[in-house]
Amino acid sequence: MSKLTPVTHVIFDMDGLLLDTEKVYLSSITKVLKDHGKEYTNDLRIKVMGTIPINTATIIIKELGLDMEPDELNEELYNNQIKHMEQVPFLPGAEKLIDHLHSNNVPIAVATSSGEKSFQVKTANYQHIFSKFHHIVLGSADPEVKQGKPAPDIFLVCASRFDEKPLPEKCLVFEDAPNGVTGAKAAGMQTVMVPDKIIPVEKTSHATQVLSSLLDFKPEDFGLPPFP
């Protein structure tokens, strides 16, 4: 674990970190690939975790030797996933942490690889919570985000949209995926990682801090107001 230094701004990933969407992605990708006679292994899951949808499809096609275009696979996956995304719950500790930071005037934002339509579906029932974020950057729909995670683009764009334009080292990123941590680290930001249980320990070692749940986060570790 790296040395922890004080921050002023917080950036959250969404899928698998705030919202429990990974189960939907797992069952949906597994089903679509099974229909193509292929298996969705844990290794492949880790490779695509956190990537924008078109990159997810591209990686899967390349790894499994599928004879189709990324757009085609992307559409199949999207159509299968979208019907299950409306009732996705928050993960433990997510709402509490968002409320706490917001009520203590800590600027918070979301940097997600989600596309616009799927973001709207996932968050439709949670406008009262997502309205607490200063802004939201959708990696696959934002023209300023040239490359998806593991590139640092989304985090640098997200930081630049805070009113105070904080330096990267003053931003703390919450992530669940190795690709996201790699991107945040490349952006010069500290990261708190809450990894999926399938992720091997060695793929979490580049995070500043690794937790098993957002419930374990202590804001004061990073100079933020402690929980009451």
Side-chain angles (χ1 to χ4, degrees), residues 6-70:
V7 298
T8 54
H9 292 67
V10 176
I11 297 171
F12 289 92
D13 172 49
M14 185 178 74
D15 288 301
L17 186 277
L18 296 178
L19 294 177
D20 194 8
T21 51
E22 288 302 324
K23 289 189 188 83
V24 175
Y25 287 127
L26 174 60
S27 61
S28 144
I29 299 175
T30 300
K31 185 192 179 307
V32 169
L33 292 182
K34 195 176 176 189
D35 292 346
H36 288 279
K38 302 290 184 182
E39 189 192 348
Y40 190 39
T41 63
N42 281 349
D43 279 353
L44 184 51
R45 234 183 115 188
I46 293 163
K47 272 182 188 158
V48 302
M49 211 175 262
T51 58
I52 59 173
I54 197 68
N55 290 356
T56 301
T58 304
I59 294 164
I60 290 171
I61 287 167
K62 183 171 174 240
E63 292 288 321
L64 299 180
L66 283 171
D67 184 21
M68 63 195 306
E69 291 300 314

Side-chain angles (χ1 to χ4, degrees), residues 187-202:
M189 299 174 186
Q190 294 179 92
T191 51
V192 172
M193 187 181 195
V194 186
D196 189 291
K197 289 179 175 56
I198 65 153
I199 295 171
V201 174
E202 64 272 14

Side-chain angles (χ1 to χ4, degrees), residues 22-226:
E22 288 302 324
K23 289 189 188 83
V24 175
Y25 287 127
L26 174 60
S27 61
S28 144
I29 299 175
T30 300
K31 185 192 179 307
V32 169
L33 292 182
K34 195 176 176 189
D35 292 346
H36 288 279
K38 302 290 184 182
E39 189 192 348
Y40 190 39
T41 63
N42 281 349
D43 279 353
L44 184 51
R45 234 183 115 188
I46 293 163
K47 272 182 188 158
V48 302
M49 211 175 262
T51 58
I52 59 173
I54 197 68
N55 290 356
T56 301
T58 304
I59 294 164
I60 290 171
I61 287 167
K62 183 171 174 240
E63 292 288 321
L64 299 180
L66 283 171
D67 184 21
M68 63 195 306
E69 291 300 314
D71 284 343
E72 290 174 76
L73 179 58
N74 197 22
E75 193 173 347
E76 269 190 59
L77 293 173
Y78 175 80
N79 291 337
N80 193 286
Q81 288 157 7
I82 206 69
K83 47 185 182 268
H84 304 291
M85 284 295 187
E86 285 170 14
Q87 301 301 324
V88 174
F90 272 91
L91 282 155
E95 287 180 79
K96 180 189 172 194
L97 180 54
I98 293 164
D99 283 343
H100 171 70
L101 295 174
H102 181 257
S103 61
N104 282 278
N105 299 313
V106 176
I108 53 176
V110 171
T112 173
S113 296
S114 265
E116 209 156 342
K117 275 194 233 164
S118 79
F119 176 81
Q120 284 166 358
V121 171
K122 291 171 204 169
T123 62
N125 297 326
Y126 302 127
Q127 287 311 304
H128 59 296
I129 295 166
F130 278 86
S131 64
K132 293 176 181 178
F133 290 102
H134 180 270
H135 58 278
I136 286 154
V137 181
L138 303 177
S140 52
D142 197 302
E144 279 189 54
V145 181
K146 304 298 182 204
Q147 286 183 287
K149 304 171 187 178
D153 304 31
I154 192 169
F155 299 110
L156 294 169
V157 168
C158 193
S160 76
R161 290 185 186 164
F162 284 116
D163 296 338
E164 303 80 3
K165 308 258 185 291
L167 293 167
E169 58 265 31
K170 287 296 178 185
C171 298
L172 179 63
V173 174
F174 282 85
E175 266 286 352
D176 67 307
N179 283 320
V181 175
T182 301
K185 193 176 178 188
M189 299 174 186
Q190 294 179 92
T191 51
V192 172
M193 187 181 195
V194 186
D196 189 291
K197 289 179 175 56
I198 65 153
I199 295 171
V201 174
E202 64 272 14
K203 290 195 182 289
T204 69
S205 59
H206 56 325
T208 314
Q209 187 180 68
V210 182
L211 303 175
S212 57
S213 160
L214 285 175
L215 291 167
D216 301 330
F217 179 65
K218 293 186 171 65
E220 62 272 25
D221 286 352
F222 293 91
L224 296 166

